[in-house]
Amino acid sequence: MNILGSHILSVQQFDRANIESLFQVADTMRPYARREKMTTVLQGAILGSLFFEPSTRTRVSFGCAFNLLGGEVRETVGIESSSLTKGESLYDTARVLSGYSDLIVMRHPQPGSVAEFASASRVPVVNGGDGANEHPSQALLDLFTMQQEMAGKSRGIDNLRIAMVGDLKHGRTVHSLSQLLCLYRNISFVFVSPKALAMPEEIVDRLMAAGHTVVETEDLAVGIANVDIIYQTRIQEERFASKEEANQYRGRFRINQYAYSQFCQPSTVIMHPLPRDSRADANELDNDLNDNPNLAIFRQTDNGVLVRMAIFASILGVGKEVDRYARPISWKNVRKG
Ligand code: NCD
């Protein structure tokens, strides 16, 4: 499927061929993301950015990605500051906002809400996270990062061994990522979580039906021993009935330099969609890993801009036009790295 003019609601829309062409476009975005030059290819286009749940990197990186392509961004943040608190339906909001924008990114706490909104929208809608359901752009940037990390070790994604750790029940990032990895061959999934926060059964069944191996364990040391990638996640406290309930699980699976050097193979890549919960009672990914060269978390966030630029350019049909609208930047680039 070509994503020209499409909504992006689920990873299930993708196949290997369109992921590859999306990632080729993402690769061409590097000089723009690094501010070595600029492009005006989306000049005149407006992104409607609707975040009805907390967000830092997803919201800002989507906005930056659109700006870096020369477009403008209009934002609404928080249900309480939108007309949804006045009882407006998603249908009406979609009809209205799609009149003001050329493309919309939306995050909302209700699973299925972004698809409902998209069905009434007159412009393409990208799912920025719908409750515990899906987060397709995060899965794409994670996969892009994994390809890059594994390429450094002369490996691809086929035959990958990955441990996903933490709140696999409520984590939309792991729901999307595991299903996206389904497109590759012979993936070994190790799911490390408390039993009560296990990966939903229908996802496990889908992975196994596609021929992949799934091991579920509550033992972190065993789970991270023989994998290429650890994908750590945060306990999604906002999805629990009470803070006390979430607190039972916070800090249960901590990864720090000691655990890494004790249990992991030395080349294991460490990923996390962020935010990592760095409070003392959680601290799932310790700061003492910050200088570990295999910690890929900030390469993930940087790649998020490239992949989101590629998503926008591809939806609006300018994936190959970006360089034609390139210009030098007029300020001194003092960026370090
Ligand atoms: C994640 C999310 O919102 O699902 N964050 C993100 O978008 N990078 C993960 C999380 O909040 O734990």
Side-chain angles (χ1 to χ4, degrees), residues 53-66:
E53 256 198 340
S55 174
T56 305
R57 75 221 78 237
T58 304
R59 179 173 58 83
V60 176
S61 68
F62 266 125
C64 287
F66 209 78

Side-chain angles (χ1 to χ4, degrees), residues 9-269:
L9 301 173
S10 163
V11 292
Q12 306 217 26
Q13 293 170 240
F14 289 88
D15 59 30
R16 278 177 78 149
N18 55 43
I19 289 174
E20 205 155 295
S21 48
L22 186 76
F23 287 179
Q24 273 168 13
V25 176
D27 275 325
T28 68
M29 300 299 180
R30 282 182 210 282
Y32 303 99
R34 290 196 193 120
R35 277 65 158 181
E36 289 159 11
K37 51 183 173 173
M38 56 184 283
T39 177
T40 57
V41 71
L42 287 189
Q43 192 167 40
I46 294 176
L47 173 72
S49 172
L50 313 179
F51 277 77
F52 300 123
E53 256 198 340
S55 174
T56 305
R57 75 221 78 237
T58 304
R59 179 173 58 83
V60 176
S61 68
F62 266 125
C64 287
F66 209 78
N67 285 152
L68 286 167
L69 291 166
E72 301 267 347
V73 182
R74 289 286 171 274
E75 276 191 339
T76 291
V77 179
I79 286 191
E80 61 296 337
S81 57
S82 81
S83 282
L84 293 175
T85 41
K86 299 182 184 172
E88 186 168 64
S89 65
L90 284 172
Y91 175 90
D92 284 4
T93 310
R95 298 299 296 174
V96 173
L97 268 299
S98 58
Y100 302 158
S101 326
D102 300 285
L103 209 154
I104 289 174
V105 174
M106 178 176 171
R107 171 173 286 189
H108 191 284
Q110 206 59 44
S113 54
V114 182
E116 184 187 336
F117 180 95
S119 66
S121 171
R122 293 175 272 169
V123 299
V125 176
V126 177
N127 182 0
D130 59 328
N133 184 35
E134 278 230 37
H135 195 345
S137 68
Q138 179 72 43
L140 289 163
L141 78 88
D142 288 336
L143 178 60
F144 183 84
T145 306
M146 287 177 183
Q147 273 193 355
Q148 187 178 287
E149 299 293 318
M150 296 312 288
K153 303 175 197 320
S154 305
R155 295 262 314 273
I157 300 297
D158 292 326
N159 305 313
L160 187 81
R161 300 165 303 166
I162 180 166
M164 296 186 176
V165 183
D167 186 353
L168 308 182
K169 177 182 177 190
H170 303 108
R172 55 191 169 203
T173 62
V174 285
H175 298 165
S176 287
L177 180 58
S178 56
Q179 295 184 87
L180 194 60
L181 287 170
C182 232
L183 295 171
Y184 294 79
R185 274 195 304 278
N186 189 33
I187 310 290
S188 294
F189 293 96
V190 185
F191 293 143
V192 184
S193 73
K195 277 213 168 61
L197 303 184
M199 183 65 87
E201 226 173 275
E202 63 272 19
I203 296 183
V204 173
D205 289 347
R206 210 170 287 156
L207 304 178
M208 288 173 63
H212 305 295
T213 314
V214 177
V215 172
E216 294 181 272
T217 176
E218 290 191 274
D219 188 333
L220 180 68
V222 170
I224 62 177
N226 277 305
V227 293
D228 304 301
I229 294 176
I230 299 170
Y231 192 93
Q232 175 67 299
T233 65
R234 179 181 66 87
I235 300 298
Q236 308 281 292
E237 58 186 26
E238 63 277 33
R239 313 261 178 248
F240 288 78
S242 70
K243 216 164 176 130
E244 290 66 44
E245 199 191 332
N247 283 346
Q248 295 177 58
Y249 306 108
R250 284 156 53 81
R252 183 99 150 245
F253 299 119
R254 295 168 189 244
I255 300 173
N256 54 23
Q257 189 54 41
Y258 175 79
Y260 184 84
S261 48
Q262 197 74 4
F263 305 127
C264 296
Q265 294 167 8
S267 61
T268 306
V269 175

